[in-house]
């Protein structure tokens, strides 16, 4: 056998085993694994639960202060909170601009509408923006502060502390109208959003005038009795100003509740003055009637020339 024909006896060497494949690196486009997805889902759920808990804290505090307002005001209306020494001249002050006793029943619809507003807030504002790390929204915090100011005002007024009472009621009125403005700022606001604050703010404006009138009567009368003519003229001027403001609110902002509250108060003042000055009382009722006709008759339907009066 020749050399070219000899078989190859060189041993065959085995190749090293292949390395296992390297898993691809995770990047932004790679789908996360099941544990990562579960972790993120748990974090999102925890954040939602924390947000809901904060919302519940705000709603609970708001309900507590609303109930406190109702209880304190009810006690005040029943005379429980009045503390004056016997013979105190403040107890005998008679201010002409003060609605009759029955007019205070307006607090019932005020608190009823505020309760409805709180129910709607509790059901539909879980996504509202919070103030920093606090559990309160701007609306919720303003409402809670306003309720606290009202409780202080009621105590101050029924103890005849005129400077404190007037200061507190002015602050409260400003806060309520701030709430009214915030609720109407949203393009999709409904009547139930702003009506509670229109009713509340309108009546507080009447309370401001009443408190100031009583305090002025008390301090001025120390120098002598105030003439009937001065009281009558002052009362009519205040009634005209309130009715003019109501007409402005009706046609500038479409707020028809302001006018109803003003009419309710003016008629209450007139009824109280029937035994004091019939001329003033009748004139007040006549002014209220004229304002009601101007605000609530659909003038646009009566004459096309008055179309601008029928729209806010």
């Amino acid at each position: 056998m020749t050399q070219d024909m000899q078989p190859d006896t060189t041993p065959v060497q085995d190749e090293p085993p292949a390395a296992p494949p390297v898993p691809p690196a995770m990047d932004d486009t790679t789908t996360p694994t099941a544990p990562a997805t579960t972790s993120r889902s748990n974090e999102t759920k925890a954040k939602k639960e924390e947000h809901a808990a904060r919302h519940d804290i705000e709603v609970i505090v708001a309900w507590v202060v609303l109930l406190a307002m109702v209880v304190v005001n009810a006690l005040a209306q029943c005379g429980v909170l009045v503390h004056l020494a016997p013979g105190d001249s403040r107890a005998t002050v008679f201010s002409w601009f003060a609605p009759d006793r029955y007019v205070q029943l307006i607090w019932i619809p005020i608190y009823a509408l505020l309760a409805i507003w709180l129910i709607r807030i509790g059901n539909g504002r879980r996504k509202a923006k919070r103030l920093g790390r606090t559990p309160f929204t701007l609306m919720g915090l303003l409402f809670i502060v306003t309720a606290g100011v009202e409780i202080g005002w009621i105590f101050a007024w029924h103890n005849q502390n005129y400077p404190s009472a007037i200061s507190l009621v002015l602050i409260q009125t400003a806060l309520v109208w701030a709430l009214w403005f915030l609720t109407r700022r949203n393009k999709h606001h409904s009547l139930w959003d702003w009506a509670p604050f229109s009713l509340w703010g309108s009546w507080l404006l009447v309370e401001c005038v009443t408190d100031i009138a009583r305090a002025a009567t008390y301090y001025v009368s120390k120098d002598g009795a105030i003439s009937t003519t001065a009281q009558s003229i002052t009362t009519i001027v205040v009634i005209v100003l309130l009715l003019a403001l109501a007409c402005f609110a009706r046609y500038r902002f479409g707020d028809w509740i302001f006018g109803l509250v003003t009419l309710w108060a003016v008629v209450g003042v007139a009824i109280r003055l029937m035994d004091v000055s019939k001329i003033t009382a009748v004139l007040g009722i006549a002014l209220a009637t004229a304002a009601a006709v101007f605000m609530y008759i659909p003038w646009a339907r009566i004459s096309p020339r008055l179309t601008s009066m029928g729209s806010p």
Side-chain angles (χ1 to χ4, degrees):
M1 194 180 260
T2 63
Q3 185 178 0
D4 295 337
M5 298 292 292
Q6 291 180 354
D8 188 3
T9 58
T10 305
V12 178
Q13 297 182 354
D14 296 335
E15 295 182 359
V22 180
M26 295 288 291
D27 55 16
D28 294 338
T29 61
T30 305
T31 304
T33 60
T37 305
T38 304
S39 176
R40 293 183 181 180
S41 176
N42 291 337
E43 290 179 1
T44 304
K45 184 178 180 181
K47 289 182 180 180
K48 289 183 178 180
E49 291 178 352
E50 181 183 0
H51 190 83
R54 289 186 177 185
H55 174 79
D56 292 340
I57 292 174
E58 179 186 52
V59 173
I60 291 171
V61 175
W63 275 108
V64 169
V65 295
L66 176 60
L67 293 176
M69 278 196 300
V70 173
V71 171
V72 171
N73 206 342
L75 293 175
Q77 299 300 329
C78 295
V80 177
L81 301 182
V82 179
H83 297 288
L84 291 177
D88 194 325
S89 59
R90 290 175 295 180
T92 60
V93 174
F94 185 84
S95 172
W96 280 36
F97 189 89
D100 205 15
R101 186 70 177 168
Y102 76 90
V103 180
Q104 295 293 329
L105 292 172
I106 196 174
W107 285 112
I108 296 175
I110 288 175
Y111 291 142
L113 286 180
L114 289 176
I116 294 173
W117 178 77
L118 278 182
I119 293 173
R120 298 181 75 249
I121 289 293
N123 293 334
R125 287 180 59 89
R126 290 185 177 273
K127 296 182 180 180
K129 186 177 180 180
R130 306 287 157 180
L131 297 174
R133 296 182 177 273
T134 68
F136 302 105
T137 61
L138 178 59
M139 290 286 295
L141 186 60
L142 278 177
F143 175 78
I144 293 168
V145 172
T146 305
V149 174
E150 175 167 310
I151 292 172
W153 162 62
I154 292 173
F155 276 104
W157 176 250
H158 286 274
N159 284 276
Q160 304 298 312
N161 187 339
Y162 295 136
S164 298
I166 292 174
S167 300
L168 289 172
V169 75
L170 288 173
I171 293 172
Q172 185 191 358
T173 304
L175 290 173
V176 172
W177 284 109
L179 287 166
W180 176 88
F181 172 78
L182 290 174
T183 54
R184 290 177 65 97
R185 186 176 57 177
N186 186 356
K187 294 181 179 180
H188 303 289
H189 65 264
S190 68
L191 175 67
W192 298 107
D193 293 325
W194 61 268
F197 302 110
S198 177
L199 184 63
W200 196 10
S202 303
W203 178 245
L204 284 174
L205 188 61
V206 174
E207 290 281 13
C208 285
V209 178
T210 302
D211 291 7
I212 293 172
R214 185 179 177 88
T217 303
Y218 169 70
Y219 289 117
V220 173
S221 62
K222 287 184 175 181
D223 299 328
I226 304 176
S227 68
T228 302
T229 303
Q231 288 266 40
S232 178
I233 293 175
T234 303
T235 302
I236 294 300
V237 169
V238 172
I239 288 174
V240 169
L241 291 176
L242 282 176
L243 292 174
L245 190 59
C247 293
F248 174 77
R250 168 67 181 87
Y251 288 106
R252 177 63 180 84
F253 302 106
D255 188 343
W256 48 269
I257 296 178
F258 193 117
L260 292 179
V261 175
T262 305
L263 294 173
W264 173 260
V266 169
V267 172
V269 171
I271 290 176
R272 180 171 174 267
L273 293 178
M274 276 295 180
D275 296 331
V276 180
S277 173
K278 283 186 171 55
I279 294 178
T280 305
V282 172
L283 185 56
I285 292 175
L287 290 171
T289 303
V293 169
F294 180 72
M295 287 188 287
Y296 297 112
I297 286 185
W299 295 105
R301 298 179 182 179
I302 296 175
S303 173
R305 298 179 180 179
L306 303 175
T307 303
S308 60
M309 294 181 62
S311 59

